[in-house]
Amino acid sequence: MQTGLIETVAIAAAAYALGSVSFAVLVSRLMGLPDPRSYGSKNPGATNVLRSGSKLAAALTLIGDAGKGALAVFLAALYTGESPSSGYDAPIAGAMALLGHLYPAFHGFRGGKGVATAAGVLLAINVWLGLGVLSTFAIIVAFFRMVSLASVIAAAFAVFWAWSLFGLAPVTPAVGAIALLVVWRHRDNIVRIARGIEPRLGEKKT
């Protein structure tokens, strides 16, 4: 069905609320681990949770963060009856879920970097889009051993993949917004990369 402005705003707000649920914080609390915002990079994401020594907690965080992004897209598409890759509301819901993850209302607006949530959103919008972005991410990590660099480059390529698959369909601007959010959240990493001091995999963060 075609939704009106009020319904679109309601969908966006609900998706933001869903994205605001921080699985890094919740999983850590349930498993009796320290708050991920208090150690390491202080980033409430799977990579930092792994520094607690619990691989299970990190895996659950990764699944939860990716899953909430995918769920936001799925529920919006289910409600509107539109395809996630051709309608407006589902891509908007995905972008708002990512915004909620980055700046969660339930956790003092201190969120993660958004890589897992963005991946979940893109896979839910279109599997080939998601796989193209994940492949780009994996290639950059393999060559440079920098997750931050891979995240930024994969975000940029997300727009390319979206345009290649869908042209100027509604999904492309939403993917562009997602890419900008991920790059913005990695702005400090970009500065460190430019200075040559960004740690690689296996190196300690300075």
Side-chain angles (χ1 to χ4, degrees):
M1 69 177 182
Q2 187 174 2
T3 57
L5 177 60
I6 293 177
E7 288 178 308
T8 296
V9 171
I11 289 171
Y16 172 80
L18 177 59
S20 289
V21 177
S22 174
F23 280 88
V25 175
L26 293 181
V27 168
S28 295
R29 287 177 181 173
L30 290 173
M31 297 183 67
L33 299 172
D35 189 319
R37 296 168 296 182
S38 67
Y39 62 85
S41 66
K42 295 182 171 55
N43 174 57
T47 301
N48 201 40
V49 171
L50 185 60
R51 293 188 175 98
S52 71
S54 175
K55 294 181 180 179
L56 176 59
L60 291 174
T61 298
L62 180 66
I63 293 170
D65 284 346
K68 68 184 180 183
L71 183 61
V73 173
F74 173 77
L75 291 177
L78 183 65
Y79 176 76
T80 62
E82 296 177 336
S83 167
S85 59
S86 61
Y88 288 91
D89 292 296
I92 289 174
M96 290 302 295
L98 175 61
L99 183 65
H101 177 78
L102 300 181
Y103 303 101
F106 306 143
H107 303 280
F109 301 100
R110 295 172 58 193
K113 294 295 182 72
V115 176
T117 302
V121 169
L122 296 178
L123 283 167
I125 290 175
N126 181 271
V127 172
W128 293 113
L129 170 62
L131 290 178
V133 174
L134 289 175
S135 297
T136 304
F137 177 87
I139 290 171
I140 300 303
V141 168
F143 275 93
F144 296 98
R145 294 189 300 116
M146 283 189 191
V147 173
S148 56
L149 178 64
S151 300
V152 171
I153 292 178
F157 266 84
V159 182
F160 168 77
W161 290 120
W163 182 85
S164 297
L165 290 168
F166 308 112
L168 296 178
V171 65
T172 304
V175 172
I178 289 170
L180 287 174
L181 285 171
V182 171
V183 171
W184 169 255
R185 194 62 179 82
H186 284 80
R187 61 192 183 281
D188 293 337
N189 301 88
I190 294 172
V191 172
R192 289 195 293 270
I193 292 170
R195 293 178 178 175
I197 58 174
E198 178 73 353
R200 300 175 186 268
L201 287 175
E203 295 179 351
K204 291 185 178 179
K205 184 179 177 66
T206 56

